[in-house]
Amino acid sequence: MASTGPYGSWPSPIDAALAASHDGRPEYLGTVGAEVWWTAPRPAEGGRRALIRRRADGTEESVLPEPWNARSRVIEYGGHPWAAVARDGGPLVVFVHFPDQRLYAYEPDAPGSEPRPLTPLSAVGDGLRWADLRIEEDRGEVWGVLEEFTGPAPTDVRRVIAAVPLDGSAADDRAAIRELCEDRHRFVTGPRLSPDGRRAAWIAWDHPAMPWDATTVVLADVTGDGEFTGVRDVPTGTASICQVDWAPDGGLLFLTDADGWWQPHRAEPGALSAAGATAGPARPAFGAPVLPGREEEFGGPLWKIGLQWFHPLENGLIAVIHGTDTTALGILDPTTGELADAVGPWTEWAPSLAVQGDRVTGVAAGVRGGYEIVELDTRTGHTRVIGAAHTDTVDPAHYPEPRIRTFTGPGGREIHAHVYPPHHPGWTAPEGELPPFVVWAHGGPTGRSPLVLDLEIAYFTSRGIGVAEVNYGGSTGYGRAYRERLREEWGVVDVEDCAAVAQGLAAEGAADPGRIAVRGGSAGGWTAAASLAGTDVYACGTILYPVLDPLGWATDGTHDFESHYLESLLGPLAEFPDRYRSRSPLERADRITAPFLLLQGLDDVICPPAQSERLLARLAGRGVPHAYLAFEGESHGFRRAETMIRALEAELGLYNRTFGLTRTDVPDPELIA
């Protein structure tokens, strides 16, 4: 028989340490001979990213010992940080080491081997950075994206595709790095070589466009000496192309949203020689849709360099990730349009795929399990977990039971959300009591909240506090039109949509209208802060490493990748200066009256701590209860276990105090006015 206790007071086996230990997910899959490799979070090891190999016998081990950290800082959000090839004596791996961003070569199976540097340090700005690597062993080089700072400002930067000698001759010599393309585009991805090695294709874009606004495909011919010649852009108008790769027969495959959804397209080999010779209309100048008229996403936003939503197979089929609220791994026959999905409990597939013959490997999670490495045998349709397997460290009966919901917002617009009501197998609330809820706003804001098990959500729901993740207008996963609702409306549509979900839950009797909080990080931190300043819906809020000052962002206040992002989110500063001020949570700090918790990494270059400190200065003496926790060694998004534990417990402490709960097992956040 279930015990009875007020919402928010229930005991739970899911503590902050357990939630922190499961934060993050495997990323950047690849195959090395018969092995599958990936990067994995290690919160207990200073937040480093380990490089993991799954040997042919199924055993898993770390390729790199502590403190080696395989993580790139290109465009600050990073990209594919490693490449490896199989050799008779064991693999050769090249990886980016996070602290100095140099490339290192390492032979893990060679006795006494140590990582050796391949690239030099630079005293200019933030130096040299690398991502999206591929080893060209026949040429004795590793190719990838080079991000090079040319001055002290965060926007003093250039990006090219470059080749680094594997012999270490460039370790102290920048001149030994061979640039394969000019820096005529601000951003580039790594090259994808055609099956015959005679052509290369990559994606490029320029300010003020973000990669989900407009990108172009770049083609080049590759000489026998590894030189890129005949480099040319393929006109794509205002379409966003998020991935490009080659079919086995030399056709070019790419994902474009020219028809409103990221969809697979194909250009025939014979059309590629002339591609880019003349300007084209808004839709791609070459290629045709593989699945015309299908309204679902087969791609996503390029927040990192080297993401993969599809992978060609040797037999001409294509492994694809597709869906809207949830995603699936499917095998697409481009000649017939037939699409067959893998069977299993997974509701979200990350944009990372690897192929070995007829086997496709991906990173997937479900509502009852975290992200794990899953293999699909395309001959039999059989799926199995082969790595990073989810294990239940507590009774899964304590996991939340999500509901996919669509709410109605201003003007009758649809708002997509995932609602997680309070849930505990052994506790229930007194009859008639309504539960407290926390509305979560995701980052980006061009992002989305996947429908997967998240132990941070379970941390709250198992204690009797509901969570509603809002995929507000501007989120990806629902087509370009839904994504562009936020265009020049940031701070309006996102705030309205979150409020509509909160009020909708209250109106239907699912949430206590007096005990609703708002929470978000990064762009979600902006939405949380703007919601506290612009509405009276919320009793309190949790603001993590937020954007608070758009004027500062627009004037060298952030990193290069997003330095022009506000031109689409708010409009050009020269035309709409009042908009930058009127929507700024910093400028509207006098309207904030609800208690809040502010969490900030002191090494954050995307949302620098100066913004948070200016908000606190504006609120000084105004009598608004708040707490500020700043963490040394943390950047944009927390990665250390001790940080995540303290942050999560402080958040629960805020709700304990504000919602009038009776918990004695969490620290008081010590709000000051």
Side-chain angles (χ1 to χ4, degrees):
M1 183 175 178
S3 301
T4 300
Y7 285 116
S9 69
W10 304 342
S12 172
I14 302 173
D15 60 15
L18 178 62
S21 69
H22 286 74
D23 189 77
R25 59 175 171 81
E27 285 186 299
Y28 304 121
L29 277 174
T31 58
V32 185
E35 300 180 358
V36 178
W37 291 29
W38 63 89
T39 67
R42 291 292 184 264
E45 298 175 8
R48 78 179 184 113
R49 297 290 302 192
L51 182 58
I52 306 299
R53 65 192 291 190
R54 179 190 183 271
R55 293 183 179 270
D57 63 4
T59 58
E60 295 177 28
E61 61 186 56
S62 179
V63 176
L64 304 169
E66 291 187 70
W68 294 101
N69 187 350
R71 180 180 157 210
S72 168
R73 281 188 63 188
V74 166
I75 68 168
E76 293 302 343
Y77 293 105
H80 204 295
W82 68 273
V85 291
R87 291 173 162 180
D88 289 341
L92 168 70
V93 58
V94 176
F95 67 96
V96 181
H97 182 43
F98 179 71
D100 60 18
Q101 291 296 288
R102 298 175 84 181
L103 288 183
Y104 288 80
Y106 180 47
E107 297 171 86
D109 293 350
S113 176
E114 295 286 341
R116 54 184 176 84
L118 297 181
T119 55
L121 295 168
S122 171
V124 180
D126 281 334
L128 307 180
R129 300 173 176 178
W130 301 87
D132 213 4
L133 309 173
R134 61 176 294 128
I135 294 176
E136 292 294 312
E137 194 168 19
D138 291 344
R139 296 188 172 99
E141 296 177 324
V142 57
W143 292 2
V145 174
L146 164 62
E147 181 178 78
E148 181 174 26
F149 282 79
T150 59
T155 53
D156 293 337
V157 63
R158 62 192 292 268
R159 297 175 186 89
V160 296
I161 298 171
V164 177
L166 288 171
D167 62 8
S169 58
D172 296 306
D173 183 6
R174 170 63 180 84
I177 296 173
R178 186 167 65 93
E179 297 189 8
L180 299 174
C181 71
E182 298 176 345
D183 60 349
R184 59 195 177 109
H185 287 296
R186 190 72 171 186
F187 302 93
V188 294
T189 62
R192 301 296 181 260
L193 287 183
S194 60
D196 61 8
R198 298 172 61 185
R199 282 179 174 149
W202 62 93
I203 297 170
W205 67 97
D206 295 286
H207 288 319
M210 298 300 286
W212 42 87
D213 296 326
T215 60
T216 187
V217 173
V218 184
L219 295 175
D221 300 316
V222 183
T223 69
D225 295 330
E227 300 289 340
F228 285 14
T229 63
V231 178
R232 58 216 184 260
D233 291 359
V234 176
T236 55
T238 56
S240 165
I241 294 175
C242 60
Q243 188 188 339
V244 62
D245 211 334
W246 298 89
D249 65 355
L252 190 67
L253 303 170
F254 55 101
L255 298 174
T256 174
D257 70 349
D259 295 319
W261 300 80
W262 277 302
Q263 293 281 317
H265 283 58
R266 173 185 163 90
E268 298 302 325
L272 299 177
S273 297
T278 58
R283 63 190 295 105
F286 72 113
V290 177
L291 293 168
R294 192 157 179 141
E295 294 191 345
E296 61 174 323
E297 301 284 33
F298 284 74
L302 268 179
W303 280 102
K304 299 180 179 182
I305 303 297
L307 299 181
Q308 278 193 309
W309 290 269
F310 75 87
H311 200 304
L313 279 66
E314 294 175 357
N315 58 11
L317 301 178
I318 309 170
V320 295
I321 295 169
H322 66 105
T324 49
D325 270 308
T326 62
T327 59
L329 171 64
I331 302 300
L332 171 64
D333 185 335
T335 61
T336 66
E338 182 180 356
L339 179 61
D341 288 342
V343 176
W346 305 285
T347 52
E348 181 72 13
W349 291 78
S352 184
L353 295 171
V355 169
Q356 289 175 312
D358 295 317
R359 297 177 184 271
V360 179
T361 308
V363 181
V367 297
R368 311 295 288 177
Y371 285 96
E372 48 197 359
I373 310 300
V374 181
E375 179 189 79
L376 166 66
D377 186 334
T378 61
R379 295 168 302 174
T380 66
H382 177 68
T383 54
R384 63 176 182 139
V385 176
I386 65 167
H390 171 81
T391 56
D392 292 315
T393 51
V394 299
D395 186 345
H398 291 87
Y399 296 160
E401 298 178 348
R403 302 168 185 171
I404 298 176
R405 295 286 308 275
T406 301
F407 292 83
T408 301
R413 66 176 181 251
E414 290 186 344
I415 305 166
H416 300 285
H418 302 149
V419 176
Y420 299 81
H423 173 77
H424 194 296
W427 285 81
T428 187
E431 186 176 353
E433 183 184 355
L434 296 177
F437 252 84
V438 184
V439 171
W440 284 25
H442 63 68
T446 310
R448 60 186 282 268
S449 295
L451 188 72
V452 297
L453 175 65
D454 184 335
L455 289 185
E456 282 197 6
I457 292 176
Y459 177 79
F460 294 108
T461 57
S462 61
R463 287 167 168 78
I465 300 173
V467 172
E469 292 186 305
V470 183
N471 283 321
Y472 48 82
S475 302
T476 48
Y478 306 98
R480 184 164 185 134
Y482 192 88
R483 193 167 78 240
E484 292 197 335
R485 285 184 187 176
L486 205 59
R487 194 168 192 85
E488 298 193 9
E489 295 295 330
W490 194 38
V492 178
V493 166
D494 51 325
V495 171
E496 289 178 346
D497 285 3
C498 287
V501 170
Q503 292 168 328
L505 290 170
E508 64 191 34
D512 183 342
R515 295 193 295 173
I516 300 179
V518 63
R519 184 241 217 202
S522 188
W526 155 282
T527 302
S531 296
L532 294 180
T535 77
D536 58 0
V537 173
Y538 306 103
C540 62
T542 299
I543 306 168
L544 299 95
Y545 35 89
V547 181
L548 296 171
D549 179 15
L551 281 170
W553 253 52
T555 53
D556 276 354
T558 189
H559 62 138
D560 184 61
F561 175 59
E562 294 181 272
S563 60
H564 290 254
Y565 194 5
L566 299 188
E567 292 188 34
S568 61
L569 292 175
L570 294 175
L573 175 59
E575 297 179 38
F576 304 104
D578 292 341
R579 190 180 290 171
Y580 281 64
R581 286 186 286 269
S582 65
R583 295 189 195 165
S584 167
L586 189 65
E587 297 297 327
R588 295 187 296 163
D590 59 328
R591 302 183 188 182
I592 298 176
T593 59
F596 67 89
L597 173 66
L598 181 59
L599 304 168
Q600 178 70 53
L602 292 177
D603 293 344
D604 193 340
V605 298
I606 297 173
C607 295
Q611 294 195 38
S612 290
E613 292 161 5
R614 286 201 295 272
L615 176 66
L616 297 176
R618 297 281 180 94
L619 287 169
R622 293 184 177 272
V624 180
H626 66 275
Y628 177 53
L629 299 181
F631 301 99
E632 291 188 4
E634 293 285 9
S635 54
H636 198 64
F638 302 149
R639 290 174 172 83
R640 298 181 177 181
E642 59 270 24
T643 300
M644 292 184 280
I645 291 169
R646 189 179 178 202
L648 201 55
E649 289 182 342
E651 184 177 353
L652 180 58
L654 172 69
Y655 304 149
N656 190 46
R657 173 184 284 204
T658 307
F659 293 160
L661 309 180
T662 57
R663 306 198 69 90
T664 60
D665 59 346
V666 291
D668 191 299
E670 298 181 5
L671 302 180
I672 61 173

